[in-house]
Amino acid sequence: MRPPRYALLAVAALLALPLLAPAASAAPPPENVCGVCGASFERSAERLGVDAIVAQSDLDVRVRADGDSRWTARATVNRAAAERFAANRTLLERAVRETYASHRTVVDDPRNLSVALDGRTITATFAVENVTQRYPGDVLLFDAVASDRSDGNPRLDADEATVRGPPGTVVTRAPDGASNEGNQSVWTAGETVLVRDSVVVFAPDDGAVSQAATAAAVRWRGLEAAAPGLREFASVPSALLALVAAGLLLAGGRLPAALGDPHRTIRGLAVGAALYVAVAVAGGLVSDGVGFALAAVGALLAPQAFLTAATLLAVGAVDALSRWDRGRVAVGAVAAWTLALVLGAPASAALALLAGALVFLPFGFLAGAGRPARLWFPVVAALGPAATALPFVDQIGLLLVSPAMLAAHAAATAALGVPLFAAGRRLAGAETSAERDAPDAAATG
C-alpha cells in the first residue's frame, strides 16, 4: 500500500505549527514547607534591615487525631543577626510574621504564633488546623504540604522535617526518599522528593488491610482534588463527543456516500489541514495566546489525522474476515479501548489525544450491524476527554493547556471520527448484502 501522500502533507503542516507559536509563561514559584527555615526568612529580615543568614534549620510537625497540628520551626542564624534580634525582639517577631504573610509557604494562616530566641536559634511555634482527612479503615491522611493545582512541587526549605502522627499509629505512605519509623516520617533535604500530591498516611498498623485502605484513601483523595478541574476541562468536550456519538447512532445511515471513500476523505483532510494552518497563522498575528493554542491543538491532531487516513486505507484488509469475526473484533476493540482509558489513567491521555478518533470505526460497524453494544458509543466517546483532561488538571511548567483547547481538540476528533464511523457502517452493510445474496446464489446453483 502506498503511503497516504495527502495525509503526510497534512501531518507535516500541523506539526510545523508549534514552530510559529510563542512560548507560554512559566508557573508561579513553589511553596516552601517551613518558611522561617531558609531564604524566605532571610529576605524578610533583609527588608527590615537585618542581614540574616540561616545556617541550619529543622521543622517538627505533630499531627493530632482530631486533624489539627502543632508546628515547630527552628533556624540557626549568623551571630550578627542573632545579636540584632536579641536586642530587639519585636523586630524578630515582625520578620517571622512577614515571612508567612508575604512569601509562598504551605501554611497560609499560622495560628497562635509564638517566637523565641535562644542564643543563635530562632524557634517559631504555631498551630495549623484541619491538616488531615480521615478515610475508611481508620486511615488518617496528612496533606498539608500538597500544593494547589496551579503551583509547582512544594520545596523542602529545612535541612530536615519530621511529621509525627497520633500515638498508636504507623506511617503507611510517605513521600519518596523519606525515612519512616513507627508514627514518624523524616524528610531530609536533597533526599526526600516532594511533589504536588505528597501526603503522609497514618494507619493503626502496617498490615494488608491497612495497606489496602491507605491505597484507597490516596486514590480517592486524588480524585477529589482532580474533580473541579475535570469538570472545568472535560465537561464541554465530553458532552460534545457524546452528542456526536448519539447523533451518529440515530442518523448514521444517512451519511453521504463520499465519506466512505478513503481517497476523497484523505484529500479532504489535506484541505482541512491547510485551512487550519492558515487560521492558526492568522490567529498568531492577532494574539500570541490564540496562536499558541491553535498551534498546540494542531500538533496534537497531526497523529490523529495520519492514523485516520491510514485506517481508512487499511479497512479493505479485513475483507477476509467473516461477519462474526468482524463483530468480535469490533466488540473486543471497544472493550480494550474502554479498559485502557479507565485503568491506564492518567497515562491513557496520550491514547485519547493522539488516536481518539479510531474508536469511531468499531462503533460504526456495531451500529451498521445492529449490535446492542453500539448503545455504549456516547458513554465511551465521553470517556476520552475525561482521560485527556487528567494530566492538565494540575498543569504546571511551560505547557499550558486550557479547557477551550481541549474543546477544540474534541471537535476535531469528532470531525475525524465521522468518516471512520461511515467506513465501519459500510463494512457492516457490505456483509449484510453479501449474506442476503448468498441464499440466492445457492438456489441458482
Side-chain angles (χ1 to χ4, degrees):
M1 181 177 64
R2 290 189 305 170
R5 182 177 53 189
Y6 295 103
L8 290 174
L9 292 174
V11 169
L14 293 172
L15 287 176
L17 280 176
L19 300 177
L20 306 175
S25 58
E31 294 180 325
N32 291 321
V33 171
C34 177
V36 299
C37 295
S40 295
F41 176 75
E42 293 173 350
R43 288 193 290 270
S44 295
E46 184 181 11
R47 280 198 290 269
L48 295 174
V50 180
D51 184 15
I53 300 174
V54 176
Q56 188 176 359
S57 62
D58 66 85
L59 173 68
D60 186 85
V61 180
R62 296 179 180 268
V63 180
R64 296 183 354 197
D66 62 2
D68 294 342
S69 61
R70 193 73 179 168
W71 297 51
T72 303
R74 286 176 286 267
T76 301
V77 298
N78 56 310
R79 188 174 303 278
E83 291 175 351
R84 285 286 308 276
F85 289 137
N88 189 342
R89 296 299 178 100
T90 301
L91 184 65
L92 170 60
E93 185 168 337
R94 285 179 58 193
V96 172
R97 292 187 180 278
E98 172 76 11
T99 300
Y100 290 104
S102 302
H103 295 275
R104 295 177 58 81
T105 60
V106 298
V107 177
D108 296 324
D109 185 21
R111 302 292 181 89
N112 303 322
L113 176 64
S114 65
V115 182
L117 178 65
D118 182 10
R120 295 168 51 199
T121 301
I122 300 167
T123 301
T125 304
F126 52 91
V128 183
E129 299 177 347
N130 301 320
V131 296
T132 66
Q133 302 179 55
R134 191 170 291 278
Y135 291 91
D138 202 19
V139 164
L140 197 65
L141 187 147
F142 170 81
D143 60 355
V145 301
S147 66
D148 295 335
R149 296 298 92 190
S150 59
D151 295 329
N153 295 333
R155 180 165 50 203
L156 181 57
D157 52 337
D159 296 322
E160 184 176 279
T162 302
V163 181
R164 308 174 193 268
T169 63
V170 298
V171 175
T172 52
R173 181 68 63 88
D176 291 341
S179 175
N180 308 312
E181 183 176 354
N183 68 337
Q184 300 182 20
S185 179
V186 180
W187 307 346
T188 305
E191 297 181 9
T192 304
V193 179
L194 298 182
V195 295
R196 295 185 300 281
D197 55 356
S198 286
V199 298
V200 179
V201 181
F202 304 99
D205 54 60
D206 59 355
V209 174
S210 292
Q211 292 291 346
T214 296
V218 172
R219 189 71 169 177
W220 185 254
R221 184 203 173 275
L223 291 175
E224 288 178 329
L230 273 180
R231 286 194 294 269
E232 179 186 4
F233 277 75
S235 294
V236 172
S238 291
L240 174 63
L241 283 180
L243 286 173
V244 170
L248 288 173
L249 290 178
L250 293 173
R254 294 192 289 274
L255 290 173
L259 284 175
D261 185 336
H263 297 285
R264 289 187 181 182
T265 303
I266 291 170
R267 285 194 291 271
L269 286 176
V271 172
L275 291 175
Y276 188 96
V277 171
V279 171
V281 172
L285 296 176
V286 174
S287 165
D288 287 349
V290 172
F292 170 78
L294 291 174
V297 173
L300 291 173
L301 287 175
Q304 283 213 72
F306 180 81
L307 288 173
T308 297
T311 301
L312 288 171
L313 290 175
V315 161
V318 301
D319 286 342
L321 297 175
S322 68
R323 184 166 187 262
W324 171 246
D325 288 333
R326 292 182 184 181
R328 284 195 297 183
V329 169
V331 171
V334 167
W337 178 272
T338 305
L339 288 174
L341 288 182
V342 174
L343 300 181
S348 59
L351 182 65
L353 277 171
L354 305 178
L358 296 186
V359 76
F360 280 66
L361 178 66
F363 273 114
F365 179 89
L366 295 175
R371 296 292 185 90
R374 72 189 187 280
L375 300 178
W376 285 100
F377 189 18
V379 176
V380 175
L383 280 177
T388 298
L390 277 176
F392 305 113
V393 168
D394 55 354
Q395 57 184 313
I396 62 169
L398 296 179
L399 179 59
L400 301 180
V401 176
S402 68
M405 291 166 67
L406 292 186
H409 182 272
T413 296
L416 292 171
V418 170
L420 290 171
F421 185 88
R425 284 193 63 94
R426 188 178 64 168
L427 278 176
E431 291 180 346
T432 302
S433 300
E435 287 184 349
R436 285 198 305 264
D437 294 340
D440 297 337
T444 302

